[in-house]
Amino acid sequence: MSVALAASAPALLVSLHDVSPLTLPDCQRALELLRAAGLPPAQLTVLAIPRHEGRVPLDEDAGTARFLRGLAEAGATLVMHGLTHRMRGRA
């Protein structure tokens, strides 16, 4: 039995990684660069950290919440990237 695969165009997965109040300015700049390169938000996966390093609640930071809401409304896929992003053995 053989399986025929349809030809497809090359694909690229692009993610905006570690979004939190601690990284918001850098994430905003990265988004500007992605948009300038022609990547629409609907093709973006956004990895958000709800309580980065246990210090900064994402839902209590209006700027970050607004940034993420705007991306979601534009069709981006939002994904929780750990609760605190803490890793054992790291300070």
Side-chain angles (χ1 to χ4, degrees):
M1 177 173 166
S2 66
V3 176
L5 299 176
S8 62
L12 177 67
L13 171 66
V14 179
S15 64
L16 183 56
H17 199 96
D18 291 351
V19 179
S20 83
L22 296 179
T23 62
L24 183 59
D26 290 332
C27 292
Q28 290 168 322
R29 178 67 183 131
L31 181 61
E32 290 173 16
L33 293 170
L34 292 168
R35 284 183 170 153
L39 183 82
Q43 294 181 356
L44 185 63
T45 300
V46 179
L47 286 72
I49 307 168
R51 299 204 181 278
H52 201 160
E53 298 179 4
R55 302 182 304 163
V56 185
L58 187 149
D59 58 339
E60 294 178 12
D61 185 78
T64 306
R66 193 171 31 256
F67 179 73
L68 290 169
R69 189 173 299 110
L71 286 169
E73 289 171 355
T77 301
L78 274 54
V79 179
M80 186 171 94
H81 183 51
L83 181 61
T84 64
H85 204 275
R86 285 186 182 159
M87 292 185 275
R88 291 182 183 194
R90 289 183 62 189

